[in-house]
Amino acid sequence: MADNFMSLVPLKVNKSEVSSTAEKVIDWLLSQKIIKDPKTDCVLGSNDGYPPGDNYNSILNSYDHDLLGLRTNGLDVIRTREVFHNGGNGLDSICCPTCSTNIIGSDWGILIDEWYNETGKDTVTCLECKAVHSIIDYKFDPTWAFGNVGFTFWNWPSFTNQFINDLEIITRKSMAIVYGRL
Ligand SMILES: [Zn+2]
């Protein structure tokens, strides 16, 4: 069976803010009993994750009966520079944030490598409007996000807008939502 995931990625978190951002979110999720300690082997990959807590349904759009029965059902907190993509399920477009010109036919992958390696050469000049933006500020469809910290929920159903708003208040960042499947 394929596993679905949803990554919530606070944008523009610099490295000095990674620990505090991660801890604020984890503390709040634990206090609300949305997740629980201790971490277990409940996420894909080499990390351990936080299993769903007693109140996990409080952040879901519709009541879920199935999550607790799944082997992969936890929260993985990623604290490293990461391209949060949709699991290799393809992209429809990558558009200039100024004029929406689609650059998907270009060599954009190189720019992502530059961002990942922090070379400072991750900007692109739009051929259409001449605006200069980092590749990470382009609009990826389906959504990709780029950051130093992220929260990946495995196989959780869709979240309420209230939950996303709460996380934006807690982190003081806007939150990208990346849906994927492995
Ligand atoms: Zn443009």
Side-chain angles (χ1 to χ4, degrees):
M1 196 184 93
D3 287 296
N4 295 303
F5 61 89
M6 213 178 327
S7 293
L8 305 182
V9 183
L11 299 176
K12 310 288 182 192
V13 175
N14 63 44
K15 285 184 179 172
S16 66
E17 299 171 312
V18 167
S19 291
S20 62
T21 302
E23 295 307 326
K24 271 188 279 191
V25 172
I26 292 167
D27 287 349
W28 185 76
L29 292 172
L30 286 169
S31 74
Q32 300 295 308
K33 297 186 165 58
I34 293 164
I35 58 171
K36 63 182 180 184
D37 268 332
K39 292 199 271 190
T40 64
D41 180 21
C42 62
V43 297
L44 295 190
S46 53
N47 296 341
D48 279 347
Y50 294 94
D54 291 343
N55 291 338
Y56 78 93
N57 265 297
S58 66
I59 62 165
L60 303 181
N61 275 320
S62 54
Y63 197 87
D64 167 84
H65 299 278
D66 301 327
L67 186 64
L68 296 179
L70 301 178
R71 185 178 178 282
T72 302
N73 62 6
L75 163 65
D76 189 6
V77 180
I78 292 122
R79 302 169 190 240
T80 53
R81 197 168 184 80
E82 182 94 2
V83 177
F84 294 91
H85 59 74
N86 55 349
N89 292 299
L91 278 168
D92 295 329
S93 60
I94 303 171
C95 292
C96 170
T98 301
C99 75
S100 297
T101 293
N102 184 0
I103 63 159
I104 196 160
S106 74
D107 241 348
W108 54 271
I110 293 169
L111 296 169
I112 290 184
D113 291 343
E114 300 283 4
W115 174 80
Y116 190 79
N117 294 319
E118 301 180 72
T119 63
K121 296 177 183 165
D122 55 313
T123 57
V124 51
T125 303
C126 178
L127 293 176
E128 208 49 49
C129 75
K130 311 299 181 201
V132 179
H133 294 284
S134 168
I135 189 65
I136 72 165
D137 292 325
Y138 271 62
K139 303 298 176 204
F140 286 66
D141 182 21
T143 301
W144 285 22
F146 306 85
N148 292 311
V149 61
F151 305 88
T152 298
F153 292 81
W154 285 94
N155 288 316
W156 290 48
S158 68
F159 296 140
T160 61
N161 290 333
Q162 179 67 52
F163 175 56
I164 304 301
N165 288 344
D166 286 344
L167 287 185
E168 290 185 329
I169 291 166
I170 290 163
T171 60
R172 299 185 179 178
K173 307 286 182 185
S174 49
M175 199 69 58
I177 307 174
V178 178
Y179 297 92
R181 172 185 284 250
L182 282 184

